């Protein structure tokens, strides 16, 4: 099946710094990628939808200036958490879709801890 | 925002028994549904999907049932094994380009 990777798998940073998370589709071209956030013992919450070559669409309540998304190629999307704070600590997961339809394939996730 | 679960319900079963995990979805316009398995510290893993023009679909040891009348989805796992222990999420696609996740159910398998 299709493989989606994320890098890094975990990151610890100081409050106020920015962190970039990469999501790659390894064996297919992803026209659409999705970014989710998951807090402990909770479900996945969609943050934004990113389409290659265009601006991301953010879900209600997600700050687009804080969570910068770039989808520069058909195999790579990046999420940058700017000026991270402890409340941004979470598990960030991306998924990729070959065609419009929600994205079946998920990455392994990135654990972000902000001190 | 999307669906949020504050407390994960837990289903405990004995190894070898069958498991049934239920999910109520919210949008009557949803036409595609997926079940995912998530192990601790990992991303969701696709298990099985079903479209709204079907009411049952079988995979290897798993069966998904869809009841559109009451907006209910279930995942049946036959001969549950310790490796099946995980959190299971249903997800619905309300005819848009994104998935809405349910709250999740933790499956615990005892020897």
């Amino acid at each position: 099946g299709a493989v989606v990777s994320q890098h890094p798998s975990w990151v610890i940073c100081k409050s106020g710094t920015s962190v970039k998370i990469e999501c790659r589709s390894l064996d297919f071209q992803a026209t659409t990628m999705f970014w989710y956030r998951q807090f402990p013992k909770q479900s996945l919450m969609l943050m934004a939808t990113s389409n290659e070559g265009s601006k991301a669409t953010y879900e209600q309540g997600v700050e687009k200036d804080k969570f910068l998304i770039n989808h520069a190629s058909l195999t790579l999307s990046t999420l940058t958490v700017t000026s991270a704070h402890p409340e941004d600590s979470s598990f960030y997961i991306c998924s990729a879709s070959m065609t419009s339809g929600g994205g079946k394939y998920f990455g392994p996730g990135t654990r972000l801890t902000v001190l | 925002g999307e669906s949020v679960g504050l407390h994960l319900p837990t289903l405990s079963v004995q190894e070898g028994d069958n498991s049934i995990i239920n999910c109520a979805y919210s949008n009557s316009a949803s036409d595609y549904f997926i079940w995912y398995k998530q192990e601790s510290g990992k991303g969701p893993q696709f298990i099985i999907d079903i479209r709204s023009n079907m009411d049952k679909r079988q995979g290897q040891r798993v069966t998904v049932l869809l009841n559109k009348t009451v907006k209910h989805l279930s995942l049946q796992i036959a001969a549950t094994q310790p490796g099946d222990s995980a959190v299971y999420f249903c997800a619905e696609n309300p005819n848009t380009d994104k998935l809405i996740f349910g709250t999740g159910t933790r499956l615990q398998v005892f020897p």
Side-chain angles (χ1 to χ4, degrees):
Chain A
V3 179
V4 177
S5 71
Q6 282 184 240
H7 178 80
S9 56
W10 60 269
V11 57
I12 301 173
C13 69
K14 293 182 179 180
S15 186
T17 61
S18 294
V19 174
K20 180 185 284 188
I21 302 170
E22 293 184 349
C23 176
R24 292 181 185 274
S25 56
L26 298 185
D27 52 1
F28 66 100
Q29 292 185 327
T31 53
T32 306
M33 288 184 172
F34 304 85
W35 286 97
Y36 294 82
R37 181 168 52 182
Q38 186 179 32
F39 292 107
K41 297 184 180 181
Q42 293 192 20
S43 187
L44 283 76
M45 292 191 64
L46 181 65
M47 299 175 67
T49 302
S50 99
N51 294 294
E52 186 266 338
S54 62
K55 289 184 178 180
T57 303
Y58 290 81
E59 294 299 302
Q60 190 174 4
V62 177
E63 300 174 59
K64 62 180 181 180
D65 294 330
K66 180 169 183 63
F67 299 100
L68 302 179
I69 291 172
N70 184 282
H71 193 159
S73 78
L74 287 172
T75 60
L76 173 64
S77 176
T78 61
L79 168 68
T80 301
V81 183
T82 63
S83 186
H85 289 98
E87 57 265 31
D88 298 323
S89 298
S90 189
F91 195 49
Y92 291 86
I93 310 170
C94 72
S95 80
S97 176
M98 284 177 273
T99 58
S100 193
K104 287 185 184 181
Y105 310 105
F106 282 79
T110 296
R111 173 76 59 193
L112 170 62
T113 301
V114 185
L115 303 177
Chain B
E2 307 298 345
S3 174
V4 174
L6 296 179
H7 300 283
L8 284 176
T10 299
L11 174 67
S12 297
V13 299
Q14 192 162 22
E15 181 178 357
D17 287 352
N18 297 332
S19 303
I20 299 176
I21 301 171
N22 296 303
C23 174
Y25 63 92
S26 57
N27 195 325
S28 57
S30 293
D31 59 358
Y32 179 55
F33 305 86
I34 307 176
W35 278 101
Y36 288 95
K37 172 186 179 183
Q38 187 180 30
E39 296 174 291
S40 181
K42 297 182 179 180
Q45 176 188 354
F46 172 88
I47 300 174
I48 191 169
D49 59 359
I50 188 169
R51 297 205 173 271
S52 59
N53 60 351
M54 304 173 68
D55 54 19
K56 180 179 180 179
R57 189 161 188 233
Q58 289 184 294
Q60 186 178 14
R61 276 202 312 120
V62 295
T63 301
V64 55
L65 299 177
L66 174 63
N67 185 330
K68 296 181 287 293
T69 303
V70 294
K71 292 190 287 187
H72 182 268
L73 201 63
S74 69
L75 176 70
Q76 300 178 1
I77 304 174
T80 313
Q81 302 168 1
D84 295 326
S85 295
V87 177
Y88 289 80
F89 292 97
C90 67
E92 59 179 304
N93 184 337
N95 203 24
T96 64
D97 61 353
K98 56 188 179 184
L99 288 175
I100 300 173
F101 278 77
T103 55
T105 297
R106 182 177 303 280
L107 176 65
Q108 293 181 330
V109 183
F110 293 94

